[in-house]
Amino acid sequence: MQQDFQQVLIDRQRIADRVHEVAQAILADLSRETADGQTLDITLVPILTGSLIFVADLIRHLPLRLRIRLVSISSYPGCATQSQGVTFQQQLTDIPSDLSGQHVLLIDDILDSGRTLAAARTLLAQRNPASLRTCVLLRKQRPGIQRMEVDYACFDIPDHFIVGYGLDYNGYYRNVPDIVQLKPDVFAPGQS
Ligand code: IMP
Ligand code: MG
């Protein structure tokens, strides 16, 4: 597997440090929602499959009474490295139709065109949450495109296709502990 990597973009220690920092920012913002010391009803909505590792690390820095509701969306099926449009895997969607009173944090691995997160945010906003924030591990620099803003982004990265720490190419490399850039010949075997 190592021979497929061009470079490590963000190593595991930097990821761990920054995830901790962002969790502190989320905690600070949520604590401001608590007007009179009552317990908040917090719902995290991770978008599968890419945010799996990120959310597992993030929640261990959030000492709150929270619930997790999964949503499965794919926009880069198989070997695609460009967004192929947004598809909700409805059978895995586990979101109550009424989110009133709940403070929702929508989490994805990466903001690229922003279509995936915008589609999920629209779906959640229709369910009337008390608050709705968005959090991504990575935000790709895409100069010139108009896209949604997120409330929390751990890292801004160049416009390269990357894998690891939950992100995949054709389903592989999610288990790589660092965020890495793949060699071009992984996408086009024999042509680099
Ligand atoms: P968007 O809808 O264009 O913002 O794409 C976001 C989704 O595409 C993310 O949830 C990822 O699953 C996937 N994606 C975007 N860029 C990459 C990448 O560089 N590597 C792996 N997956 C990516
Ligand atoms: Mg994804």
Side-chain angles (χ1 to χ4, degrees):
M1 192 168 66
Q2 255 66 17
Q3 70 275 9
D4 296 345
F5 305 159
Q6 174 131 319
Q7 60 163 331
V8 173
L9 216 59
I10 308 169
D11 69 37
R12 62 199 78 179
Q13 189 58 56
R14 271 184 71 204
I15 298 171
D17 293 347
R18 182 66 184 140
V19 169
H20 190 188
E21 250 174 49
V22 168
Q24 299 311 306
I26 292 169
L27 280 173
D29 289 343
L30 282 172
S31 70
R32 275 193 282 276
E33 304 276 1
T34 325
D36 49 10
Q38 90 279 24
T39 306
L40 292 183
D41 199 348
I42 298 168
T43 302
L44 264 51
V45 180
I47 299 179
L48 293 176
T49 308
S51 67
L52 192 70
I53 314 279
F54 174 40
V55 82
D57 284 344
L58 185 73
I59 56 173
R60 284 177 285 175
H61 295 298
L62 297 175
L64 301 168
R65 191 166 168 276
L66 61 79
R67 287 184 288 199
I68 299 177
R69 305 279 191 180
L70 303 173
V71 62
S72 185
I73 304 180
S74 83
S75 52
Y76 280 44
C79 297
T81 56
Q82 297 294 316
S83 177
Q84 306 292 301
V86 175
T87 313
F88 282 82
Q89 314 286 309
Q90 288 296 349
Q91 72 279 14
L92 289 181
T93 303
D94 172 34
I95 313 286
S97 57
D98 182 14
L99 290 169
S100 49
Q102 296 186 40
H103 295 269
V104 175
L105 181 65
L106 175 62
I107 302 172
D108 203 5
D109 51 0
I110 187 164
L111 186 79
D112 185 7
S113 72
R115 280 195 290 259
T116 305
L117 207 59
R121 189 175 61 174
T122 301
L123 181 135
L124 293 172
Q126 288 161 355
R127 298 176 187 204
N128 200 29
S131 71
L132 176 54
R133 292 189 174 85
T134 48
C135 175
V136 293
L137 173 70
L138 303 168
R139 177 167 52 197
K140 252 188 209 179
Q141 289 159 357
R142 291 279 299 269
I145 70 156
Q146 289 255 330
R147 68 177 176 200
M148 64 173 285
E149 301 285 335
V150 291
D151 296 291
Y152 313 99
C154 294
F155 299 100
D156 285 294
I157 59 162
D159 187 9
H160 300 314
F161 193 82
I162 50 84
V163 297
Y165 197 70
L167 289 105
D168 75 304
Y169 171 62
N170 196 21
Y172 297 109
Y173 307 109
R174 294 193 196 277
N175 53 325
V176 176
D178 308 301
I179 293 168
V180 306
Q181 193 182 345
L182 289 175
K183 286 183 182 157
D185 63 351
V186 176
F187 306 113
Q191 287 175 29
S192 70

